[in-house]
Amino acid sequence: KDSHPDWVGPTLPQMHIGAAVSAGVGFLASILGIGGGIIHVPLLAFTLHYPVHRATATSHFVLAITAGVASVVNVAEGRLDGNWDLAVPLVIGVVLGAQVGARLAKHVKPKWIILILSILIAVVGTKLAYPSLKPASNAAPTSAPESTKVTP
């Protein structure tokens, strides 16, 4: 049963915006090594006005396609040689976790999905930023010692 019977789907301008932004999301996700869903879900929900459950499902669909293509390319180019012992359990965990998550999401109100996503973004952002804020104890000097400076 659709929990958003009044939603007719994205308009043509929204689809164009979504496609353009998704290209940028794909680029950022590749560069930063993050899942694009962390950007896609808020974009779809707030900018393109998707119902939250549809935004998460759409994000998962896009992720499944891009991850599948990337996996095929990496296998074809031999980049997983010697790492199958890591890859296989990850694949099993992702497939099982996605099934459980999709079933649980049906019973969660949209505001809770957004709240949980917001908290997770804050936690991950803090965890990533914190090490760069600590002063390094073995940092290299910012300028050369006086004895090594060349005078004109």
Side-chain angles (χ1 to χ4, degrees), residues 47-64:
T47 305
L48 302 179
H49 309 292
Y50 273 56
V52 173
H53 286 91
R54 291 211 183 203
T56 57
T58 302
S59 177
H60 284 142
F61 179 73
V62 170
L63 177 64

Side-chain angles (χ1 to χ4, degrees), residues 10 13-31 34-45 47-48 50 55 58-63 65-66:
Q14 286 176 325
M15 292 190 322
H16 288 220
I17 292 167
V21 173
S22 289
V25 168
F27 175 76
L28 282 175
S30 307
I31 295 286
I34 62 171
I38 205 163
I39 302 167
H40 267 138
V41 172
L43 168 79
L44 291 170
T47 305
L48 302 179
Y50 273 56
T58 302
S59 177
H60 284 142
F61 179 73
V62 170
L63 177 64
I65 291 172
T66 56

Side-chain angles (χ1 to χ4, degrees), residues 1 20 31 34 84 90 112 124-125:
K1 178 184 164 200
I31 295 286
I34 62 171
W84 290 103
L90 283 173
W112 287 104
V124 170

Side-chain angles (χ1 to χ4, degrees), residues 4 12 99 102 119 138 144 148 150:
H4 302 281
L12 189 58
Q99 301 308 309
I119 291 169
N138 59 353
T148 61
V150 177

